[in-house]
């Protein structure tokens, strides 16, 4: 039986994320060129660019007519294409340059006609973990050769961790700090790993119980949000709430500080 287009897209997403992650892994310990971007602490490396080019080449060789957008390079491909890829070649760049192992390559693909995200993969080379999901087919983690389906946080867990991340903008960060107590009322502690993609994946595998970050680009959350959603979490993407991502299980209500409403 021939594979469906969704199956094909997932295979490509996983392969592309792995290709990018191999560049990251091979670059550990090598000389890295680091350049500042817009805000203090927001940096890009030559490894980011090489990984993104590798990922784009991988996708283009298999889907030459698809559109591709990413963090470091200009959009390419046919704007009229039904499918568009969203790439973060190195999510967690600050971690990468400082030797913290929470970073990886993130790749997702969207059906432009419906707006649905079809497949996504996040590959963290130092952690030796790969997360992936396909719309309607569940989410999975491959860790050191073992594959497990992801079902989100345990509703009976006594440790309930709130996952989040913080902006490079000092003004936005101050707002995030001020909002944190509002989110924490149903959680026992907070974790920030410095990678939105992995933060969402950790909520998907139950390491944390939710993930919220309110100052992100699409490539930061595209793959991770699908993985969390397919693991059973409720996900609110930025088109609904001003540039942030909310991922949480049904048994833990989240209060959004700006509105006072519960989602």
């Amino acid at each position: 039986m021939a594979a469906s287009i969704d199956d094909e897209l997932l295979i490509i997403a996983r392969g592309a994320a792995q290709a990018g992650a191999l560049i990251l892994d091979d670059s550990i310990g090598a000389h890295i060129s680091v350049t500042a971007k817009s805000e203090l602490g927001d940096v890009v490396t030559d490894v980011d660019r090489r990984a993104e080019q590798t990922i784009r080449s991988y996708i283009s060789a298999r889907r030459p007519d698809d559109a591709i957008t990413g963090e470091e390079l200009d959009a390419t491909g046919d704007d009229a294409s039904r499918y568009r890829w969203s790439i973060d070649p190195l999510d967690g760049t600050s971690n990468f340059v400082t030797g913290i192992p929470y970073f990886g390559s993130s790749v997702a693909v969207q059906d432009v006609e419906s707006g649905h995200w079809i497949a996504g993969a996040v590959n963290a080379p130092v952690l030796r973990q790969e997360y992936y999901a396909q719309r309607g087919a569940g989410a999975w983690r491959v860790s050191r050769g073992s594959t497990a389906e992801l079902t989100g946080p345990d509703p009976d867990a006594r440790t309930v961790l709130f996952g989040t991340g913080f902006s490079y903008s000092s003004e936005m960060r101050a707002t995030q700090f001020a909002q944190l107590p509002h989110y924490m009322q149903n959680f026992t502690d907070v974790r920030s790993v410095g990678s939105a993609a992995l933060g969402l994946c950790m909520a998907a595998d139950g390491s944390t119980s939710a993930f919220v970050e309110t100052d992100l680009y699409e490539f930061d959350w595209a793959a991770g949000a699908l993985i969390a959603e397919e693991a059973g979490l409720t996900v609110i993407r930025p088109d609904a709430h001003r540039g942030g991502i909310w991922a949480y299980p049904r048994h833990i209500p989240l209060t959004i500080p700006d509105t006072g409403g519960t989602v």
Side-chain angles (χ1 to χ4, degrees):
M1 183 175 178
S4 70
I5 180 62
D6 289 3
D7 292 338
E8 176 190 341
L9 294 173
L10 175 61
I11 291 169
I12 294 171
R14 292 183 64 188
Q18 181 181 41
L22 287 172
I23 297 295
L24 310 187
D25 205 25
D26 288 345
S27 302
I28 295 170
H31 175 73
I32 298 170
S33 173
V34 181
T35 305
K37 294 172 79 172
S38 58
E39 301 278 353
L40 181 65
D42 186 10
V43 298
V44 61
T45 74
D46 56 322
V47 179
D48 292 72
R49 298 187 182 95
R50 284 195 287 115
E52 181 160 336
Q53 188 58 64
T54 297
I55 292 169
R56 285 171 177 265
S57 296
Y58 186 99
I59 295 168
S60 294
R62 292 156 179 82
R63 302 280 306 176
D65 296 326
D66 288 358
I68 303 177
T69 57
E71 181 172 12
E72 308 302 343
L73 303 175
D74 292 338
T76 59
D78 187 351
D79 290 339
S81 175
R82 179 170 176 176
Y83 298 103
R84 180 179 63 84
W85 297 81
S86 185
I87 299 166
D88 192 339
L90 175 44
D91 193 58
T93 301
S94 295
N95 288 347
F96 176 74
V97 300
T98 55
I100 297 171
Y102 286 86
F103 59 83
S105 292
S106 172
V107 178
V109 59
Q110 183 184 46
D111 181 333
V112 177
E113 291 183 8
S114 68
H116 293 147
W117 292 93
I118 302 302
V122 177
N123 195 305
V126 177
L127 300 178
R128 297 294 185 261
Q129 290 184 337
E130 177 203 9
Y131 298 86
Y132 64 91
Q134 180 180 315
R135 177 176 169 80
W140 306 82
R141 180 189 64 202
V142 180
S143 180
R144 303 182 187 279
S146 176
T147 302
E149 186 172 9
L150 306 182
T151 57
D154 179 359
D156 298 321
R158 298 179 63 84
T159 300
V160 187
L161 300 179
F162 179 72
T164 192
F166 301 101
S167 174
Y168 292 114
S169 162
S170 58
E171 182 178 355
M172 175 61 74
R173 201 161 55 240
T175 299
Q176 291 168 329
F177 290 157
Q179 292 176 344
L180 191 55
H182 295 275
Y183 287 117
M184 289 303 298
Q185 56 189 293
N186 293 313
F187 297 87
T188 59
D189 208 341
V190 62
R191 294 291 183 272
S192 180
V193 298
S195 162
L198 287 173
L200 286 159
C201 290
M202 289 171 66
D205 73 13
S207 298
T208 59
S209 297
F211 182 82
V212 172
E213 189 165 354
T214 53
D215 188 26
L216 294 173
Y217 294 100
E218 178 194 90
F219 48 74
D220 293 312
W221 55 257
L226 179 63
I227 292 164
E229 196 168 52
E230 286 297 319
L233 281 77
T234 297
V235 173
I236 301 176
R237 292 174 173 84
D239 57 352
H241 285 286
R242 297 177 302 281
I245 193 84
W246 282 256
Y248 58 97
R250 294 178 180 86
H251 65 275
I252 303 178
L254 279 184
T255 299
I256 298 177
D258 286 352
T259 66
T262 300
V263 295

